[in-house]
């Protein structure tokens, strides 16, 4: 083995796991299972506001999360940046359902309502639109609402 003068990538391990190992391990069910894993992760790491979610996404290396539009029961986000571009470069069929599930769980926690999220890929712009929708008529039994949290979701 030869000595290398290059600095190891701090994200290489994550990128290998996320882009290659997990999809191989999960097989054809990868997209759905990543969504469920994202929801579980979101229940463990709940954020109390959209700005906190944006910081988390950035620090987790998932990309830049920007609010595109908000309505009373829907929020559209744009996920962009180097991590998204790299994911597309490695695999044009990359799933962002881990991120979608994470958002769904966090919005369920913030609103108390049953919440789901979907992804829309835009390869030309190297962005992902994550659409979070909650049902104001159906409460989520898995959501743990903290009454001290500031409600950052429009009513």
């Amino acid at each position: 083995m030869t000595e290398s003068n290059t600095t190891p990538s701090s994200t290489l391990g994550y990128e290998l796991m996320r882009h290659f190992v997990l999809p191989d391990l999960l097989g054809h069910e990868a997209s759905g299972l990543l969504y469920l894993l994202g929801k579980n992760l979101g229940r463990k790491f709940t954020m109390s506001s959209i700005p906190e979610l944006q910081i988390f996404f950035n620090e987790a290396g998932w990309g830049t999360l920007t609010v595109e539009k908000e309505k009373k029961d829907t929020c559209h986000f744009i996920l962009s940046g180097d991590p998204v571009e790299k994911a597309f470069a490695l695999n044009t069929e990359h799933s962002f359902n881990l991120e979608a599930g994470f958002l769904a769980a966090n919005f369920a926690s913030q609103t108390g309502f049953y919440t789901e999220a979907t992804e829309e890929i835009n390869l030309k712009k190297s962005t992902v639109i994550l659409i979070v929708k909650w049902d104001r008529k159906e409460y989520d039994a898995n959501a743990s609402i903290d009454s001290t949290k500031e409600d950052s979701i429009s009513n």
Side-chain angles (χ1 to χ4, degrees):
M1 197 159 130
T2 62
E3 189 175 322
S4 174
N5 290 333
T6 61
T7 304
S9 169
S10 62
T11 61
L12 180 61
Y14 166 79
E15 291 167 357
L16 290 172
M17 292 294 293
R18 179 64 199 278
H19 303 301
F20 299 103
V21 175
L22 278 176
D24 284 349
L25 181 67
L26 300 175
H28 296 294
E29 301 296 325
S31 185
L33 290 172
L34 285 170
Y35 183 79
L36 293 175
L37 290 169
K39 284 187 101 167
N40 287 339
L41 192 61
R43 289 183 189 112
K44 292 176 183 169
F45 296 93
T46 56
M47 307 295 131
S48 63
S49 65
I50 290 174
E52 281 187 17
L53 282 166
Q54 292 169 317
I55 291 168
F56 184 90
F57 267 66
N58 189 47
E59 289 180 356
W62 291 351
T64 302
L65 188 68
T66 308
V67 176
E68 182 182 39
K69 62 182 170 182
E70 274 185 274
K71 295 182 180 178
K72 72 176 188 173
D73 59 0
T74 307
C75 193
H76 292 227
F77 292 94
I78 296 176
L79 184 61
S80 61
D82 289 341
V84 176
E85 290 173 17
K86 187 175 263 188
F88 287 141
L90 294 171
N91 180 4
T92 58
E93 295 179 19
H94 181 77
S95 169
F96 291 86
N97 277 333
L98 181 76
E99 294 86 343
F102 186 85
L103 284 175
N106 268 275
F107 271 75
S109 176
Q110 290 178 20
T111 65
F113 298 119
Y114 179 76
T115 306
E116 291 295 335
T118 58
E119 63 176 356
E120 292 181 4
I121 307 282
N122 186 333
L123 286 174
K124 288 183 182 179
K125 292 184 178 180
S126 291
T127 60
V128 180
I129 298 174
L130 297 168
I131 302 167
V132 182
K133 294 181 181 183
W134 52 96
D135 184 349
R136 292 178 172 269
K137 296 176 185 162
E138 188 174 349
Y139 291 96
D140 186 345
N142 292 320
S144 58
I145 302 172
D146 180 353
S147 61
T148 62
K149 287 183 180 177
E150 200 175 300
D151 186 17
S152 65
I153 309 299
S154 41
N155 293 318

